[in-house]
Amino acid sequence: MIMLRKWRNTRVFVIELVMNSVLYHGSYNGKITKFEPRINTTPNGREMPPSVYATDIIAYAVAFGFPWSTDMDNVELSFNGNNVELIVPSMIEERINQKVYVYLFDSKDFELIKDAEPLGHNFVTQKAVTPIDVIEFESVQSALISLGSKVIIK
């Protein structure tokens, strides 16, 4: 049974996560108890085999924790170290003001995707995985800002 934690911007919690080699997966659904592999299509239209994806950058996971697409919604995501810059059109701004949940996984269940941008930060598994914890953030926007990332509404 995983325990839902509310985000409290504490260094102790962050150090605990780093020391435990965890990976993150963002979602707007806070009630997932097991992640089953699903077919995914990349932004360039390539269909991937059923998989579960995760990252070692918590802000990156948060940025993918709400429904959006580069092509249809004109959302832009860029990276600066462990921080992200998320550019969101004003017509979908309400989506980043809803709660977001970041699930934590043991990294031993995943393998690195060597050719995915940002290089070295995308991981995948083709088996079902159970999260070891979940963090609740009040919104995508407030989560990214508290993590040192940037949100721009255009």
Side-chain angles (χ1 to χ4, degrees), residues 9-107:
N9 196 7
T10 63
R11 290 174 193 247
V12 173
F13 187 61
V14 172
I15 290 168
E16 171 189 320
L17 297 179
V18 171
M19 297 303 290
N20 289 327
S21 299
V22 298
L23 296 174
Y24 310 102
H25 179 97
S27 177
Y28 56 89
N29 181 348
K31 299 183 185 297
I32 304 170
T33 56
K34 188 172 198 174
F35 282 73
E36 299 287 343
R38 295 199 175 148
I39 292 174
N40 190 20
T41 304
T42 64
N44 63 6
R46 187 172 82 176
E47 192 171 284
M48 303 301 288
S51 303
V52 176
Y53 295 90
T55 180
D56 60 344
I57 303 173
I58 192 169
Y60 186 34
V62 168
F64 278 98
F66 74 102
W68 65 272
S69 112
T70 303
D71 298 333
M72 295 181 63
D73 296 319
N74 296 316
V75 172
E76 298 173 40
L77 180 62
S78 60
F79 302 88
N80 179 11
N82 283 338
N83 294 318
V84 301
E85 180 176 279
L86 184 67
I87 302 174
V88 178
S90 60
M91 66 184 193
I92 65 164
E93 181 180 3
E94 75 279 353
R95 293 187 206 168
I96 65 168
N97 291 320
Q98 55 190 317
K99 286 189 180 190
V100 64
Y101 302 87
V102 175
Y103 290 88
L104 286 64
F105 296 107
D106 190 321
S107 63

Side-chain angles (χ1 to χ4, degrees), residues 75-152:
V75 172
E76 298 173 40
L77 180 62
S78 60
F79 302 88
N80 179 11
N82 283 338
N83 294 318
V84 301
E85 180 176 279
L86 184 67
I87 302 174
V88 178
S90 60
M91 66 184 193
I92 65 164
E93 181 180 3
E94 75 279 353
R95 293 187 206 168
I96 65 168
N97 291 320
Q98 55 190 317
K99 286 189 180 190
V100 64
Y101 302 87
V102 175
Y103 290 88
L104 286 64
F105 296 107
D106 190 321
S107 63
K108 72 176 173 43
D109 295 324
F110 291 79
E111 62 185 60
L112 178 67
I113 305 171
K114 294 184 175 110
D115 62 346
E117 294 287 336
L119 294 177
H121 299 289
N122 291 281
F123 297 82
V124 66
T125 184
Q126 278 78 45
K127 64 181 184 177
V129 287
T130 301
I132 56 176
D133 208 346
V134 62
I135 305 167
E136 176 187 72
F137 292 93
E138 285 304 311
S139 72
V140 172
Q141 186 166 10
S142 66
L144 289 174
I145 291 168
S146 75
L147 293 166
S149 292
K150 192 173 188 180
V151 177
I152 299 169

